[in-house]
Amino acid sequence: GAPAVQPSRPGRGRRWKVFLAVLLTASAIGLAFVYARTPVYRATSSILTVKPKAVDKRSAEADIEHVAIQGRLLLGTELLGRLSQRLMDDGEQQLASVEDLRDTLDVVAVPETNLLELRAEGSDPEQLQRIVNRWAEAYEELRAEEIEAATGRTTLELEEQQERLQARIDEARADLLAYREANDIVSLEREENRSLASLK
């Protein structure tokens, strides 16, 4: 009965050493690669966009079509041109071209709402904040101009419609006056008709 002696495994301790060496080397290379990259910052701002409704219509909960149109407008050439001019006036020459702005900026619709999120990504967080603020201001000015133009058009249409109605009213009054004179009617009241009054 001598006890059985377990055979030793000489490669087992060596495997752990190789595994730890490879793991530490890979971790060091991965961390060095991650920290060597330039950081990417994001500045965001949310805006609420609402389509003007007719007086007799109830406002919808979320107008997906209007939100999509405004999203395209925010990345359109006209608005980005205004933003570029504002940035150049502020001395921001790095991202002042429309192409650079289009690469930096993005618009994301918040699901089931009329909210749009303006996003700017880059390496300078303060610059991104200024760009997003100027972008929101340029959009607000553009919307105010559109609303003012639409209000002016509506006012002009109402004035033209009022003139047409006034002309129809004047024409109807003239026809009524001619009818009254042709039929010897003093007024619309029956008692004031000349023939009936003399007969009475």
Side-chain angles (χ1 to χ4, degrees):
V5 178
Q6 293 284 341
S8 61
R9 295 182 182 174
R12 189 172 184 187
R14 187 169 180 250
R15 284 186 203 157
W16 277 105
K17 290 178 184 176
V18 171
F19 174 74
L20 286 175
V22 170
L23 177 68
L24 291 174
T25 305
S27 298
I29 292 171
L31 286 173
F33 177 72
V34 168
Y35 283 108
R37 295 178 61 195
T38 57
V40 177
Y41 298 98
R42 177 186 290 169
T44 61
S45 176
S46 296
I47 58 171
L48 176 66
T49 176
V50 180
K51 181 179 180 180
K53 298 289 181 186
V55 176
D56 57 344
K57 290 188 178 178
R58 186 174 64 86
S59 179
E61 288 79 17
D63 192 345
I64 306 301
E65 181 181 344
H66 176 70
V67 170
I69 291 170
Q70 295 306 308
R72 294 190 68 186
L73 176 69
L74 279 161
L75 292 173
T77 306
E78 181 182 358
L79 188 62
L80 291 183
R82 289 182 180 212
L83 176 58
S84 173
Q85 186 60 45
R86 281 173 169 262
L87 293 174
M88 289 178 70
D89 292 344
D90 291 345
E92 300 278 351
Q93 303 296 333
Q94 296 173 352
L95 291 173
S97 70
V98 174
E99 291 79 18
D100 292 339
L101 288 172
R102 195 165 278 137
D103 293 339
T104 304
L105 304 177
D106 192 20
V107 177
V108 178
V110 179
E112 299 179 4
T113 65
N114 286 339
L115 287 172
L116 287 168
E117 186 176 276
L118 311 180
R119 293 181 180 176
E121 292 185 355
S123 58
D124 186 0
E126 293 180 2
Q127 183 185 37
L128 295 175
Q129 183 181 3
R130 290 191 297 269
I131 289 173
V132 168
N133 288 339
R134 289 296 189 189
W135 191 17
E137 290 171 5
Y139 173 72
E140 186 179 355
E141 283 184 6
L142 182 65
R143 288 285 290 161
E145 290 174 7
E146 287 180 349
I147 290 171
E148 185 177 350
T151 304
R153 285 193 302 270
T154 304
T155 304
L156 184 61
E157 289 174 4
L158 289 174
E159 288 174 354
E160 290 174 354
Q161 190 174 11
Q162 183 181 5
E163 289 175 3
R164 286 195 299 270
L165 288 173
Q166 189 63 44
R168 288 177 60 189
I169 290 171
D170 293 342
E171 183 180 344
R173 281 185 181 158
D175 291 346
L176 181 61
L177 183 61
Y179 179 78
R180 285 172 60 188
E181 289 176 356
N183 293 303
D184 195 28
I185 299 174
V186 175
S187 76
L188 295 177
E189 295 296 328
R190 189 172 182 177
E191 297 297 326
E192 295 184 18
N193 189 317
R194 289 180 192 159
S195 302
L196 290 176
S198 61
L199 182 63
K200 187 176 179 181

